[in-house]
Amino acid sequence: MFKRSILEEIILFLIHRYNGERTVQGILYLLKGKQSAQIIQDSHFYNVTSFFGLFPFLTQQTMQNIINGLENIGYIKISEHKNTYLLNKNGLAYIENQNLQFKEFTFINGLRFSSIQKIFWKRFSLFFQTISNLNMNQKYFRAVNQDYDIQEWVKNVILNFGGKKTELVNCFYEDLHKALMNLSDDDALLFVKRLSGANAYGMTLEQTASENNESVETIYIKSINILHQILTILIENKLDYPFLSKFVQGEKSTNITNTSIETKRLFTEGKTIQEIASIRNLKLSTIEDHIVECVLSDELFPIEQFITPIQYSLIKNKIIELNTRKLKMIKEALLNEVSYFQIRITLARMGDLHGPK
């Protein structure tokens, strides 16, 4: 079989995971990282959180071109539902018999890091450039990032350090060296090559791809994997990286939206969802969306107010029996004795039906 691109393989995998239950638009929104309760919940329900926000630049036209291409070569077919697709025999054989390229990038976690990585990279790359120039006693240089907030952040870290310039440089490089030691030599080199220093600008993805004789797409995915590995190291081992851990402070993952955090706060204070809807001047269905997000992001979030143990067990067993996440199908199979909200609560607490990707 002819090897497809990484993005094509990911889309094939997602079509297989969604199994005709979500549209092409839903897959596009997942890959772009759309901040909506539905997309975030789906990423959990179908265990595809890794891919959330992985391709923020993906356009609808490019997505449609890929779908058309996969259909033309006989890998996918349109389902009975408009704008949803299923894998056919050839597509299924491909994902079962090929070593899917994205599976080697084990640190990618889009839902956790897609928003954090942008700020981290901007802060880190500008700080690296600034420190490199200060170390060479060069006060004037063209900043790699013109974002005012990022420039102010870097300036404040330097001004608030309180020690000598050499101490600042040493603290930064000690943490950086320690972090890079956790990476493979190739990944550490790729990360460093993209950094601009004194009198030298970092390589672009295109330049790196050309030098490594790889596709730009491969270098891009590798770079994201490296960033996510570094972020994992810094977030999970903050005390070991007292200086570098500052670069991720104040940033939140996309596991839960900001508006859901406010609903969670009010719920924790003892408010009912009806009261929260009234206080926030939002529809009850919107507050229910928030509660589902809370259940997804917090395995200890209490659900007893919304569903009894018997109802939970009944819904869970039916989901497993039907092997579907289609709310309407589950509800009808249970003779409409439970609500859509209770089904979503159950799905959120259960997690994925198929296990890790």
Side-chain angles (χ1 to χ4, degrees):
M1 284 185 177
F2 179 76
K3 196 70 176 170
R4 313 313 304 180
S5 70
I6 296 176
L7 179 54
E8 285 177 312
E9 288 188 352
I10 288 173
I11 291 173
L12 272 175
F13 180 83
L14 291 173
I15 290 173
H16 183 50
R17 266 302 167 92
Y18 284 157
N19 195 32
E21 297 180 357
R22 294 296 183 269
T23 65
V24 169
Q25 194 79 354
I27 296 176
L28 175 64
Y29 286 156
L30 173 80
L31 294 174
K32 288 178 70 67
K34 183 178 180 181
Q35 289 289 313
S36 77
Q38 184 65 57
I39 299 303
I40 291 174
Q41 289 165 29
D42 280 350
S43 74
H44 282 283
F45 292 164
Y46 293 90
N47 194 28
V48 291
T49 54
S50 297
F51 306 108
F52 184 92
L54 192 54
F55 294 92
F57 47 80
L58 185 61
T59 65
Q60 189 159 353
Q61 185 60 57
T62 300
M63 181 70 178
Q64 194 57 56
N65 289 343
I66 292 173
I67 291 295
N68 292 342
L70 293 173
E71 189 174 15
N72 289 338
I73 62 174
Y75 278 25
I76 62 174
K77 60 183 178 182
I78 195 161
S79 72
E80 59 187 31
H81 304 290
K82 187 179 180 182
N83 205 27
T84 66
Y85 286 83
L86 298 168
L87 296 191
N88 62 18
K89 184 173 65 175
N90 291 336
L92 194 58
Y94 184 93
I95 68 168
E96 288 180 347
N97 300 323
Q98 290 283 340
N99 292 319
L100 300 179
Q101 298 162 80
F102 65 82
K103 290 194 173 184
E104 71 177 87
F105 304 112
T106 56
F107 291 97
I108 290 180
N109 189 334
L111 190 63
R112 186 181 185 190
F113 295 134
S114 63
S115 60
I116 299 174
Q117 79 187 35
K118 300 170 189 175
I119 300 296
F120 173 79
W121 177 250
K122 288 179 180 180
R123 288 174 174 176
F124 185 91
S125 57
L126 182 57
F127 192 90
F128 184 92
Q129 183 191 30
T130 304
I131 287 297
S132 299
N133 278 278
L134 287 177
N135 197 41
M136 297 292 289
N137 295 313
Q138 297 186 38
K139 295 182 178 179
Y140 303 103
F141 57 91
R142 178 171 177 76
V144 293
N145 194 292
Q146 300 298 314
D147 187 317
Y148 175 78
D149 291 337
I150 298 297
Q151 292 185 353
E152 285 297 299
W153 185 89
V154 170
K155 186 187 300 182
N156 288 334
V157 170
I158 293 173
L159 292 178
N160 294 331
F161 180 71
K164 296 179 181 178
K165 179 183 72 175
T166 53
E167 294 173 338
L168 174 65
V169 172
N170 287 337
C171 285
F172 176 67
Y173 280 113
E174 282 177 12
D175 271 13
L176 176 57
H177 180 263
K178 194 193 308 180
L180 293 180
M181 288 295 289
N182 291 278
L183 276 60
S184 69
D185 290 345
D186 288 344
D187 284 352
L189 183 60
L190 176 58
F191 181 77
V192 172
K193 278 183 177 181
R194 296 193 60 211
L195 295 169
S196 296
N199 303 317
Y201 283 95
M203 296 176 67
T204 64
L205 292 175
E206 290 76 12
Q207 290 169 334
T208 308
S210 178
E211 182 178 89
N212 291 14
N213 195 29
E214 294 184 287
S215 69
V216 175
E217 184 183 66
T218 300
I219 295 297
Y220 167 74
I221 296 293
K222 281 185 178 181
S223 298
I224 297 299
N225 189 61
I226 292 167
L227 273 178
H228 288 193
Q229 183 177 1
I230 291 173
L231 286 169
T232 301
I233 292 167
L234 297 182
I235 291 173
E236 296 181 357
N237 305 278
K238 290 181 180 179
L239 296 180
D240 295 330
Y241 301 89
F243 197 88
L244 273 189
S245 61
K246 296 177 183 178
F247 289 72
V248 293
Q249 288 178 359
E251 298 309 310
K252 299 175 182 177
S253 74
T254 47
N255 277 302
I256 183 170
T257 57
N258 290 333
T259 186
S260 296
I261 292 173
E262 176 60 16
T263 290
K264 185 177 183 179
R265 183 186 69 79
L266 291 170
F267 179 79
T268 304
E269 290 178 357
K271 302 289 192 298
T272 66
I273 60 173
Q274 289 80 10
E275 290 171 334
I276 296 171
S278 178
I279 291 169
R280 302 199 61 192
N281 194 28
L282 294 171
K283 294 179 180 178
L284 184 62
S285 60
T286 301
I287 302 302
E288 290 178 348
D289 283 343
H290 297 169
I291 294 299
V292 174
E293 278 194 68
C294 292
V295 177
L296 285 166
S297 65
D298 181 0
E299 61 183 19
L300 298 179
F301 188 86
I303 62 174
E304 294 77 16
Q305 181 177 316
F306 315 111
I307 185 171
T308 68
I310 293 176
Q311 287 173 322
Y312 177 82
S313 180
L314 190 67
I315 297 170
K316 179 180 177 180
N317 291 336
K318 187 58 65 175
I319 290 170
I320 294 172
E321 176 190 333
L322 298 175
N323 191 31
T324 184
R325 303 165 189 79
K326 286 185 176 180
L327 304 183
K328 185 178 180 181
M329 183 183 295
I330 297 165
K331 193 171 187 292
E332 290 177 350
L334 291 170
L335 306 177
N336 296 311
E337 293 181 357
V338 296
S339 68
Y340 285 122
F341 180 45
Q342 289 172 324
I343 297 172
R344 293 168 64 209
I345 288 284
T346 305
L347 281 166
R349 184 48 47 91
M350 283 177 64
D352 179 63
L353 300 184
H354 303 295
K357 72 177 179 65

